[in-house]
Amino acid sequence: MKTTILYQLNQLGYGGTEKAIYTFLENINKEKFDVHVFFYTDIGSFDYYRRKFFSLFSKKYKKSFHQKYNINFARKEDFINLIKIHNFHFGGTVQNSVSIG
């Protein structure tokens, strides 16, 4: 029986925490551990669409939107390729998460 590990991240960019967890995931024994990554995001929420709308009309909001929803997702594909896609989840809370696989 595998031990399940759940990591919660607030971004998937190039920061130190993401690098450390990515390195850990590269080296973990996947035969002994079942690793899940939960990525906290508000995509699909009212706030997301509000920010997206304002980004169409303001350089300041466009830059902020790009940072929050593009740069913070920069390593998403790397993480998905490293663990099973059905072990990658995102959402507003762990209870309301959505599996992307």
Side-chain angles (χ1 to χ4, degrees), residues 21 25 34 39 68:
I21 291 176
L25 294 173
D34 186 29
F39 174 57
K68 184 168 179 69

Side-chain angles (χ1 to χ4, degrees), residues 56-71:
L56 299 173
F57 303 102
S58 164
K59 288 183 181 182
K60 175 184 151 187
Y61 281 104
K62 184 175 185 174
K63 183 178 179 180
S64 173
F65 185 85
H66 178 73
Q67 171 69 39
K68 184 168 179 69
Y69 298 106
N70 293 89
I71 294 173

